[in-house]
Amino acid sequence: MKRIALLLVAAAILAGVIAFTEPASLDADDSAAPLYVTTIPPGYRDWRLISVSHEAGKLNSIGAVLGNDVAIKAYREGKLPYPDGTIIAALHYGHVPSAENNKVFGQAQSFVPGPPTNIQFMVKDSAKYAATGGWGFATFVDGKPAAAASMKSCFPCHNQTKATDLVFTRYAP
Amino acid sequence: MKRIALLLVAAAILAGVIAFTEPASLDADDSAAPLYVTTIPPGYRDWRLISVSHEAGKLNSIGAVLGNDVAIKAYREGKLPYPDGTIIAALHYGHVPSAENNKVFGQAQSFVPGPPTNIQFMVKDSAKYAATGGWGFATFVDGKPAAAASMKSCFPCHNQTKATDLVFTRYAP
């Protein structure tokens, strides 16, 4: 019984680990070129932290950048280019003042995430996304992929950071 | 052989899971009251994301707030007070402009983590830290605990957010 129980636990954990580390579904719009990622990689909200970001001005966002296991390993080892299977997620929120925190601090200093603005992904698959530097780009707003037209600027912009394999975000220690 | 291999894999995974979820060592300075946490909870950099933050003004920091498994479960279930074993980590960095990003964007808008300024923890142990609302507070700078004198303001400040069990940070979806 004990062994069966352990096996069951092991199987459950393995299933969890596999679900956690399974490369995301790489569904894309096959009718268009370049290809974009149109399915949200499962489990991304459980991924580990790469870094944080704040975009002022028009974007006015605060964000967290998370990576799947392949991404975290590559970041920590500092190896470039990122291997196939790397997925980087950028969770963006409005950059809003916290009245609640500021009241306690006695001054206007604290900004927290407001409502989510979008979630963006970069999925590395050097064959599938060869036309865009090996990366598939994705933007989801309210769980839905952004219009393909709005995605055209992803690659040319990211392509300006070739020294880091098209990735802007550095690892925060 | 197959079963042995599976058992070995299961054992290795279980060991990893246990190591990952093991409550942090709650070493504290027993000679002082209130008690502060003086040992960095192991593995905190692998914890999942609770939220992000930006403190303007004198602090001028950008941060990530991570939680151990107990913390993440409690946050997601929205249950208060946080159970014993909850650990919340706030990783703070200087809030610095990214010349590299701004060059690509064509305008000054992008802020990224500079060097780490400190790491702060809140460890829930309602018996041990009864004098400070059940929470042990910690600040580490360059891996070393901050002077106890500098820690005296933690509790009175956090104690002003009683409605959320002394925790300022909300869960970012």
Side-chain angles (χ1 to χ4, degrees):
Chain A
M1 268 312 286
K2 235 177 157 180
R3 192 162 60 190
I4 290 170
L6 181 58
L7 278 169
L8 282 175
V9 169
I13 291 168
L14 282 169
V17 170
I18 289 162
F20 190 78
T21 56
E22 189 181 27
S25 166
L26 304 177
D27 293 356
D29 179 2
D30 288 333
S31 65
L35 296 176
Y36 301 114
V37 181
T38 54
T39 302
I40 294 180
Y44 73 88
R45 188 58 185 76
D46 285 328
W47 293 351
R48 286 176 283 175
L49 179 79
I50 296 169
S51 189
V52 290
S53 66
H54 169 213
E55 299 298 330
K58 212 170 59 179
L59 282 173
N60 190 36
S61 76
I62 188 164
V65 181
L66 309 180
N68 68 354
D69 288 350
V70 179
I72 294 291
K73 186 170 186 286
Y75 263 108
R76 290 184 179 174
E77 292 177 354
K79 278 186 195 158
L80 292 175
Y82 291 92
D84 281 5
T86 297
I87 310 181
I88 298 169
L91 287 62
H92 296 123
Y93 307 89
H95 176 259
V96 304
S98 169
E100 174 176 63
N101 293 2
N102 290 337
K103 197 180 155 192
V104 176
F105 292 143
Q107 55 189 337
Q109 67 168 58
S110 188
F111 294 88
V112 295
T117 52
N118 68 43
I119 306 174
Q120 297 186 308
F121 295 94
M122 287 177 70
V123 176
K124 190 72 179 277
D125 183 330
S126 42
K128 181 167 188 174
Y129 301 116
T132 47
W135 290 100
F137 295 92
T139 298
F140 295 92
V141 178
D142 287 332
K144 293 179 203 78
S150 74
M151 298 297 293
K152 284 182 183 160
S153 57
C154 296
F155 173 61
C157 190
H158 279 269
N159 201 33
Q160 292 179 63
T161 177
K162 279 202 179 79
T164 48
D165 192 22
L166 281 58
V167 174
F168 283 103
T169 303
R170 309 296 179 95
Y171 186 80
Chain B
M1 268 311 283
K2 236 177 158 181
R3 192 161 58 188
I4 291 170
L6 181 56
L7 278 169
L8 283 174
V9 169
I13 292 169
L14 281 170
V17 170
I18 289 161
F20 189 77
T21 57
E22 190 180 26
S25 166
L26 303 177
D27 292 0
D29 179 4
D30 287 331
S31 65
L35 296 174
Y36 300 114
V37 181
T38 54
T39 303
I40 294 180
Y44 74 87
R45 188 59 184 77
D46 285 329
W47 291 351
R48 286 175 283 174
L49 179 79
I50 296 168
S51 189
V52 291
S53 66
H54 169 215
E55 299 298 328
K58 213 170 60 179
L59 282 173
N60 191 35
S61 76
I62 187 164
V65 181
L66 309 181
N68 69 353
D69 288 350
V70 179
I72 294 291
K73 186 168 185 287
Y75 263 108
R76 290 184 180 173
E77 293 177 354
K79 278 188 195 156
L80 293 174
Y82 291 92
D84 281 6
T86 297
I87 311 181
I88 299 169
L91 288 62
H92 296 124
Y93 308 88
H95 176 258
V96 304
S98 168
E100 175 175 65
N101 292 2
N102 290 338
K103 196 178 158 196
V104 175
F105 292 143
Q107 55 190 335
Q109 67 168 57
S110 189
F111 295 87
V112 294
T117 52
N118 68 43
I119 306 175
Q120 297 187 308
F121 295 94
M122 287 177 71
V123 176
K124 189 71 179 276
D125 183 330
S126 40
K128 182 168 191 173
Y129 302 117
T132 47
W135 289 101
F137 295 92
T139 298
F140 295 91
V141 178
D142 287 333
K144 293 179 203 78
S150 74
M151 298 295 292
K152 282 181 184 162
S153 58
C154 295
F155 173 62
C157 191
H158 279 269
N159 201 32
Q160 293 178 62
T161 176
K162 279 202 178 79
T164 50
D165 192 23
L166 282 57
V167 174
F168 284 102
T169 303
R170 310 296 179 97
Y171 186 81

